[in-house]
Amino acid sequence: MGHLFALGWLILLIAAINIEAKKKPSINTSTKCLGNVMRVDVGPLGGKLLEVGVVINNSAILLTPSLASQCGFSMKIDHLGNAMIYTSLQNCFAQNVKDEAFTTAFQLRFHGSQLAEDEIYQMAETCHYTAWACREIICDHNYMEVSVKRAAPDNYVLPKNPIPEARAMLGHLQRSAEKRPIDAGFRMTTITFFTPAEKVMKVIDAQRSGHGIANTPKRLVLRSPKTSPETYTQNVAGVPMLVVKTSTVFEKKWLVTRIDAAAACPIQEGSVFFTADTITWYLPRRIDPLISFGQPKLLEVYMGIDGQRLDAAEIEARRYSLTVTDTYIISVIPIGAVGGYYKSHVQDGQYHISYTVEPMIEMFWTEDATHEGTRYKVFFPITTPLLPRPPQVTDRTIAAERVFKLELGYFCPDVALVNITFPSEVLSVTECRARGINVLEHMSPNSSYKVFTLEVPFTDPVVQQTSQEGATVYSLHLVFGLVVLDDFAPFSHAAYVQATLENIVPPSVSGGCDYQNFYVLVKYGTQGLNFQTAVGKQILTQSLAQQYGFAENGTHFSFVVPFFDPAVVFEAVELSSIKSRLDVTLRNLETNTIIKEFSVACNFISSLTECFPNGTMTALAVKLESVPGLNPSQLTLRDPTCGPTYSDERYAYFVFTGNSCGTTRKFLPNMMMYENEISLPDELGAKRASNSEEPEYELKVSCYYDINTTYAVAFQPRQRRNEPYAENAKGQLQVAMRLALDDSYSVFHRVEDYPITKYLQQPLYFEVELLTPASPEVSVELENCWATLDQDRTSRPRWNLIINGCANPVDQYQVIFHPVWTDARVQYPSHFKRFEVKMFAFAQDQEDLSRQLFVHCDVMICDARNPLGGVCNGQCMNPDNGNKGQRRAVSDEDKFNHVSLGPIRIS
């Protein structure tokens, strides 16, 4: 009830004012004809003030509360700012056409801020209503209205009858009115109010005291404010009701007639009862002050909301109920149901809410004595008592995100958050947002409640920090300052939250290198293995980890990256080494941000140039980081026709002689130097220079040969002890090569097992055995061993494993020789040679990894009594120049046995 007219009815104007404008407002309007009442919906107002007037003869009259109750107008504004204007069709300003069509013209003025111009809008709406009952009663928010009809019997329009017991009465209603309309010559002179004592007033005096009295062509209309002194309270079936009873005198010369009119409207106290969940409204079925004779017959009952009827399905959907008993019409509405709304209140500094709903009951009955019909309609706003609703703070903080996340609710839409008080300062909502404290307002989907969310970073000064063992405790004290918008009533709510965060030790990376590998150790820190590792530009996948010999123990993991791995970056080429770098990056899996970056750079001893006694020269050119656009396959020697023997995206390998490919010769003291250069051809170099800022690529290749060296050899002859002899015999040397399962050399793959599959990270354990003759004076030696992709031992490409009895010195994964001891299987260790090959040795050409592999060896059989030198001595052929062996030794074919093994598939 407190909303009625509070925003709408302003200063009373005695005279009409001129109409100011005719334009469509920016606010929506609509009209509903609800029987004998019209409803105009306006809104939402959006904070604007609405002033309502009526238009008569091109002039506007401003409606005030007293004028509205006298003339049949009321208004309410809901929680969303929507205005509903109710008006009786027979209001004081309606244009009445034969009591069938009623037109009311409105002027709506919208007041905005002081700087904005008022919006004025006029509208005229017409409702048609012909189903008049003999008597119609309206109980509105602020007035009671009774309209009495005096007409011939055939003018009655009777409604449908849903109540079975009343069907028998319909036949009698045609005989219900024997009176005739009052002749136009009669005029109203006096009116008697029964309070219940009689109180006689002239009609003009009654109108001046606030009553509305009108005589239409067919009806008498009487309207009284509910606060009028001429109304009184009567208890009807235990329900208190406001009653107005009148008798109006009409005079014409010597003739006098009288018309009685009465209305009775319920009040909330005594008729409405509340539980924690429901509202129950009792309306008497028989309203005694309105019954003249006999027993009334109830023909129709309707329930509605905001003046609009609801059908049975709508009542059920909203969980309402309507029950008709012998004594009462009972309406039950759940608190919070659709059709009503909540309102905020502050009482003793605490937050409360109330629920307001406006049900309507409409009845139609007849009296068995007169058979005259009465339509009774009551608009009945109901507001619950104040309900405590303490605000609730929900802590949705996730400590790892390092932000306090709070949710404050639940409030009605008419509550606003004004400021937040912290221990050190008070910040408005705008100031909070300006410094990074996120404050947001959220409405429920049906706009029935409001929630505020607050996000405060742990790093903000208002957050307090204390240290505990291995953790940090973050705490936040705050007081929310709120206000109810309608009356600007302030209230507050205090909250305290805290979060504990373990002290985070981020992951760490360390590493180093030896003469052929990078070694990397990654420690998890306190967050465990929740990051992604990149080695160079490659993600450390499971298969790549296996290739790198990945090892993990719960707190850290380690892996080994070979010097020539694709993840390694070559920074510079020096005289006898290559400076290389390995980059390791740890990234957050969720945000993809870098947690840690680590780089380790080392110089690896590697001779890029090899010089052989026969004049052959080899050179290895590597792609450097400073020239990322270089294609090694395009490199040439001085002679552009001399390209690489083998190349890929990282290397180019050249083989040439001292008298080819533009090689120059220069004599130096005691030595001769052969020199060549590796670079891009002139046309490609010029093109790159014009399109790129990368430096030119040029690598010099030099070989030095002694030309004036004398070796002194000392010897001492002695007399031969025995004469030489020869023993005639025939036989054949038999040599076999096997592949063991492990370095114990106890179990071997069988012939029927081939082809066998080995993974890239697995080592291969080879054994070469001299099967015959079985003599301790004979030994087997390995001259050269190599691998090919084809069964043909002379095919290309070729990987040199053993050269001149020694491990290939330029191979970063060098062969490992294993000693042989006497055991149950080995009688003469000199008949065996065992060596281990790392599978990484074949990883330089990635396209060949899925192909099969064959291993070949040249085997020399030596006499232990007369080794003759070379590999038979068990030493490398070039001990002083062991790193110059990237070739196969050339010897007499008759001195060798050849063995091969395969195929071995690399996975």
mmCIF file of all heavy atoms in Angstrom, residues 158-182:
data_model
loop_
_atom_site.group_PDB
_atom_site.id
_atom_site.type_symbol
_atom_site.label_atom_id
_atom_site.label_comp_id
_atom_site.label_asym_id
_atom_site.label_seq_id
_atom_site.Cartn_x
_atom_site.Cartn_y
_atom_site.Cartn_z
ATOM 1 N N LEU A 158 -26.545 -11.860 -18.724
ATOM 2 C CA LEU A 158 -26.119 -12.729 -17.633
ATOM 3 C C LEU A 158 -24.875 -13.525 -18.038
ATOM 4 O O LEU A 158 -24.753 -13.972 -19.184
ATOM 5 C CB LEU A 158 -27.252 -13.695 -17.270
ATOM 6 C CG LEU A 158 -28.539 -13.020 -16.774
ATOM 7 C CD1 LEU A 158 -29.572 -14.083 -16.482
ATOM 8 C CD2 LEU A 158 -28.260 -12.176 -15.550
ATOM 9 N N PRO A 159 -23.937 -13.738 -17.117
ATOM 10 C CA PRO A 159 -22.715 -14.515 -17.416
ATOM 11 C C PRO A 159 -22.987 -16.002 -17.395
ATOM 12 O O PRO A 159 -24.042 -16.458 -16.977
ATOM 13 C CB PRO A 159 -21.769 -14.115 -16.283
ATOM 14 C CG PRO A 159 -22.697 -13.850 -15.139
ATOM 15 C CD PRO A 159 -23.937 -13.219 -15.744
ATOM 16 N N LYS A 160 -21.972 -16.741 -17.879
ATOM 17 C CA LYS A 160 -22.028 -18.190 -17.760
ATOM 18 C C LYS A 160 -21.938 -18.583 -16.297
ATOM 19 O O LYS A 160 -21.357 -17.859 -15.496
ATOM 20 C CB LYS A 160 -20.879 -18.831 -18.552
ATOM 21 C CG LYS A 160 -20.977 -18.604 -20.040
ATOM 22 C CD LYS A 160 -19.813 -19.257 -20.765
ATOM 23 C CE LYS A 160 -19.913 -19.025 -22.257
ATOM 24 N NZ LYS A 160 -18.767 -19.655 -22.966
ATOM 25 N N ASN A 161 -22.464 -19.729 -15.983
ATOM 26 C CA ASN A 161 -22.592 -20.126 -14.584
ATOM 27 C C ASN A 161 -21.794 -21.404 -14.326
ATOM 28 O O ASN A 161 -22.219 -22.478 -14.714
ATOM 29 C CB ASN A 161 -24.070 -20.345 -14.259
ATOM 30 C CG ASN A 161 -24.270 -20.786 -12.814
ATOM 31 O OD1 ASN A 161 -23.374 -20.601 -12.002
ATOM 32 N ND2 ASN A 161 -25.424 -21.360 -12.524
ATOM 33 N N PRO A 162 -20.600 -21.285 -13.630
ATOM 34 C CA PRO A 162 -19.834 -22.499 -13.345
ATOM 35 C C PRO A 162 -20.282 -23.230 -12.102
ATOM 36 O O PRO A 162 -19.785 -24.294 -11.805
ATOM 37 C CB PRO A 162 -18.413 -21.952 -13.172
ATOM 38 C CG PRO A 162 -18.627 -20.585 -12.592
ATOM 39 C CD PRO A 162 -19.890 -20.072 -13.217
ATOM 40 N N ILE A 163 -21.191 -22.654 -11.309
ATOM 41 C CA ILE A 163 -21.594 -23.274 -10.041
ATOM 42 C C ILE A 163 -22.940 -23.972 -10.256
ATOM 43 O O ILE A 163 -23.945 -23.311 -10.570
ATOM 44 C CB ILE A 163 -21.685 -22.236 -8.918
ATOM 45 C CG1 ILE A 163 -20.314 -21.574 -8.728
ATOM 46 C CG2 ILE A 163 -22.179 -22.861 -7.625
ATOM 47 C CD1 ILE A 163 -20.300 -20.518 -7.666
ATOM 48 N N PRO A 164 -22.999 -25.297 -10.126
ATOM 49 C CA PRO A 164 -24.225 -26.044 -10.476
ATOM 50 C C PRO A 164 -25.451 -25.581 -9.718
ATOM 51 O O PRO A 164 -26.537 -25.523 -10.303
ATOM 52 C CB PRO A 164 -23.853 -27.489 -10.136
ATOM 53 C CG PRO A 164 -22.360 -27.523 -10.212
ATOM 54 C CD PRO A 164 -21.909 -26.181 -9.751
ATOM 55 N N GLU A 165 -25.297 -25.241 -8.466
ATOM 56 C CA GLU A 165 -26.488 -24.947 -7.666
ATOM 57 C C GLU A 165 -27.188 -23.675 -8.122
ATOM 58 O O GLU A 165 -28.349 -23.439 -7.776
ATOM 59 C CB GLU A 165 -26.099 -24.809 -6.196
ATOM 60 C CG GLU A 165 -25.228 -23.599 -5.900
ATOM 61 C CD GLU A 165 -24.862 -23.498 -4.446
ATOM 62 O OE1 GLU A 165 -24.987 -24.520 -3.746
ATOM 63 O OE2 GLU A 165 -24.453 -22.417 -4.025
ATOM 64 N N ALA A 166 -26.505 -22.854 -8.942
ATOM 65 C CA ALA A 166 -27.120 -21.587 -9.352
ATOM 66 C C ALA A 166 -27.826 -21.691 -10.687
ATOM 67 O O ALA A 166 -28.440 -20.730 -11.125
ATOM 68 C CB ALA A 166 -26.059 -20.497 -9.433
ATOM 69 N N ARG A 167 -27.746 -22.847 -11.382
ATOM 70 C CA ARG A 167 -28.341 -22.924 -12.713
ATOM 71 C C ARG A 167 -29.854 -22.725 -12.683
ATOM 72 O O ARG A 167 -30.438 -22.166 -13.608
ATOM 73 C CB ARG A 167 -28.008 -24.280 -13.332
ATOM 74 C CG ARG A 167 -26.522 -24.436 -13.653
ATOM 75 C CD ARG A 167 -26.218 -25.815 -14.159
ATOM 76 N NE ARG A 167 -24.786 -25.927 -14.425
ATOM 77 C CZ ARG A 167 -24.183 -27.075 -14.705
ATOM 78 N NH1 ARG A 167 -24.894 -28.206 -14.735
ATOM 79 N NH2 ARG A 167 -22.884 -27.102 -14.940
ATOM 80 N N ALA A 168 -30.463 -23.166 -11.623
ATOM 81 C CA ALA A 168 -31.931 -23.056 -11.549
ATOM 82 C C ALA A 168 -32.402 -21.626 -11.461
ATOM 83 O O ALA A 168 -33.562 -21.324 -11.723
ATOM 84 C CB ALA A 168 -32.445 -23.850 -10.352
ATOM 85 N N MET A 169 -31.468 -20.733 -11.062
ATOM 86 C CA MET A 169 -31.871 -19.352 -10.874
ATOM 87 C C MET A 169 -31.873 -18.559 -12.168
ATOM 88 O O MET A 169 -32.421 -17.461 -12.222
ATOM 89 C CB MET A 169 -30.924 -18.657 -9.880
ATOM 90 C CG MET A 169 -30.895 -19.297 -8.514
ATOM 91 S SD MET A 169 -32.530 -19.319 -7.745
ATOM 92 C CE MET A 169 -32.903 -17.570 -7.709
ATOM 93 N N LEU A 170 -31.241 -19.071 -13.234
ATOM 94 C CA LEU A 170 -31.103 -18.257 -14.447
ATOM 95 C C LEU A 170 -32.466 -17.927 -15.063
ATOM 96 O O LEU A 170 -32.648 -16.861 -15.630
ATOM 97 C CB LEU A 170 -30.236 -18.990 -15.469
ATOM 98 C CG LEU A 170 -28.764 -19.129 -15.083
ATOM 99 C CD1 LEU A 170 -28.016 -19.936 -16.138
ATOM 100 C CD2 LEU A 170 -28.161 -17.761 -14.911
ATOM 101 N N GLY A 171 -33.394 -18.836 -14.957
ATOM 102 C CA GLY A 171 -34.711 -18.567 -15.546
ATOM 103 C C GLY A 171 -35.454 -17.446 -14.848
ATOM 104 O O GLY A 171 -36.310 -16.796 -15.453
ATOM 105 N N HIS A 172 -35.138 -17.193 -13.571
ATOM 106 C CA HIS A 172 -35.831 -16.159 -12.820
ATOM 107 C C HIS A 172 -35.214 -14.785 -13.015
ATOM 108 O O HIS A 172 -35.837 -13.789 -12.668
ATOM 109 C CB HIS A 172 -35.843 -16.506 -11.334
ATOM 110 C CG HIS A 172 -36.514 -17.822 -11.060
ATOM 111 N ND1 HIS A 172 -37.882 -18.014 -11.129
ATOM 112 C CD2 HIS A 172 -35.974 -19.022 -10.712
ATOM 113 C CE1 HIS A 172 -38.166 -19.283 -10.832
ATOM 114 N NE2 HIS A 172 -37.010 -19.913 -10.581
ATOM 115 N N LEU A 173 -33.973 -14.733 -13.550
ATOM 116 C CA LEU A 173 -33.312 -13.425 -13.644
ATOM 117 C C LEU A 173 -33.998 -12.515 -14.653
ATOM 118 O O LEU A 173 -33.894 -11.301 -14.566
ATOM 119 C CB LEU A 173 -31.842 -13.608 -14.030
ATOM 120 C CG LEU A 173 -30.971 -14.225 -12.948
ATOM 121 C CD1 LEU A 173 -29.557 -14.396 -13.467
ATOM 122 C CD2 LEU A 173 -30.979 -13.340 -11.713
ATOM 123 N N GLN A 174 -34.737 -13.080 -15.619
ATOM 124 C CA GLN A 174 -35.409 -12.230 -16.587
ATOM 125 C C GLN A 174 -36.530 -11.439 -15.932
ATOM 126 O O GLN A 174 -36.989 -10.434 -16.466
ATOM 127 C CB GLN A 174 -35.980 -13.107 -17.725
ATOM 128 C CG GLN A 174 -34.909 -13.897 -18.473
ATOM 129 C CD GLN A 174 -33.934 -12.986 -19.168
ATOM 130 O OE1 GLN A 174 -34.279 -11.864 -19.550
ATOM 131 N NE2 GLN A 174 -32.698 -13.453 -19.316
ATOM 132 N N ARG A 175 -36.977 -11.887 -14.724
ATOM 133 C CA ARG A 175 -38.044 -11.176 -14.025
ATOM 134 C C ARG A 175 -37.504 -10.358 -12.862
ATOM 135 O O ARG A 175 -38.254 -9.920 -12.002
ATOM 136 C CB ARG A 175 -39.049 -12.206 -13.481
ATOM 137 C CG ARG A 175 -39.634 -13.089 -14.586
ATOM 138 C CD ARG A 175 -40.747 -13.980 -14.025
ATOM 139 N NE ARG A 175 -40.249 -14.843 -12.957
ATOM 140 C CZ ARG A 175 -39.698 -16.032 -13.200
ATOM 141 N NH1 ARG A 175 -39.559 -16.477 -14.439
ATOM 142 N NH2 ARG A 175 -39.294 -16.774 -12.180
ATOM 143 N N SER A 176 -36.126 -10.112 -12.857
ATOM 144 C CA SER A 176 -35.513 -9.561 -11.667
ATOM 145 C C SER A 176 -35.644 -8.059 -11.537
ATOM 146 O O SER A 176 -35.416 -7.526 -10.466
ATOM 147 C CB SER A 176 -34.029 -9.937 -11.639
ATOM 148 O OG SER A 176 -33.395 -9.352 -12.753
ATOM 149 N N ALA A 177 -35.951 -7.346 -12.579
ATOM 150 C CA ALA A 177 -36.007 -5.876 -12.489
ATOM 151 C C ALA A 177 -37.371 -5.397 -12.949
ATOM 152 O O ALA A 177 -37.739 -5.554 -14.101
ATOM 153 C CB ALA A 177 -34.912 -5.254 -13.344
ATOM 154 N N GLU A 178 -38.100 -4.859 -12.049
ATOM 155 C CA GLU A 178 -39.418 -4.320 -12.379
ATOM 156 C C GLU A 178 -39.399 -2.809 -12.431
ATOM 157 O O GLU A 178 -40.384 -2.180 -12.802
ATOM 158 C CB GLU A 178 -40.434 -4.771 -11.326
ATOM 159 C CG GLU A 178 -40.557 -6.291 -11.267
ATOM 160 C CD GLU A 178 -41.492 -6.716 -10.152
ATOM 161 O OE1 GLU A 178 -41.909 -5.834 -9.373
ATOM 162 O OE2 GLU A 178 -41.765 -7.927 -10.057
ATOM 163 N N LYS A 179 -38.260 -2.205 -12.031
ATOM 164 C CA LYS A 179 -38.189 -0.751 -12.005
ATOM 165 C C LYS A 179 -37.742 -0.235 -13.355
ATOM 166 O O LYS A 179 -37.096 -0.919 -14.127
ATOM 167 C CB LYS A 179 -37.223 -0.303 -10.917
ATOM 168 C CG LYS A 179 -37.635 -0.804 -9.532
ATOM 169 C CD LYS A 179 -36.608 -0.415 -8.496
ATOM 170 C CE LYS A 179 -37.018 -0.978 -7.120
ATOM 171 N NZ LYS A 179 -36.014 -0.671 -6.085
ATOM 172 N N ARG A 180 -38.033 0.987 -13.608
ATOM 173 C CA ARG A 180 -37.682 1.599 -14.865
ATOM 174 C C ARG A 180 -36.618 2.659 -14.615
ATOM 175 O O ARG A 180 -36.485 3.180 -13.511
ATOM 176 C CB ARG A 180 -38.917 2.251 -15.505
ATOM 177 C CG ARG A 180 -39.976 1.245 -15.894
ATOM 178 C CD ARG A 180 -39.470 0.358 -17.054
ATOM 179 N NE ARG A 180 -40.490 -0.564 -17.497
ATOM 180 C CZ ARG A 180 -40.591 -1.797 -17.053
ATOM 181 N NH1 ARG A 180 -39.762 -2.226 -16.116
ATOM 182 N NH2 ARG A 180 -41.516 -2.603 -17.522
ATOM 183 N N PRO A 181 -35.818 3.010 -15.683
ATOM 184 C CA PRO A 181 -34.818 4.073 -15.495
ATOM 185 C C PRO A 181 -35.474 5.380 -15.105
ATOM 186 O O PRO A 181 -36.594 5.693 -15.504
ATOM 187 C CB PRO A 181 -34.155 4.166 -16.874
ATOM 188 C CG PRO A 181 -34.441 2.847 -17.536
ATOM 189 C CD PRO A 181 -35.773 2.419 -17.018
ATOM 190 N N ILE A 182 -34.717 6.143 -14.312
ATOM 191 C CA ILE A 182 -35.232 7.429 -13.857
ATOM 192 C C ILE A 182 -35.262 8.400 -15.023
ATOM 193 O O ILE A 182 -34.320 8.497 -15.805
ATOM 194 C CB ILE A 182 -34.359 7.976 -12.723
ATOM 195 C CG1 ILE A 182 -34.435 6.994 -11.550
ATOM 196 C CG2 ILE A 182 -34.761 9.369 -12.311
ATOM 197 C CD1 ILE A 182 -33.541 7.379 -10.414
#
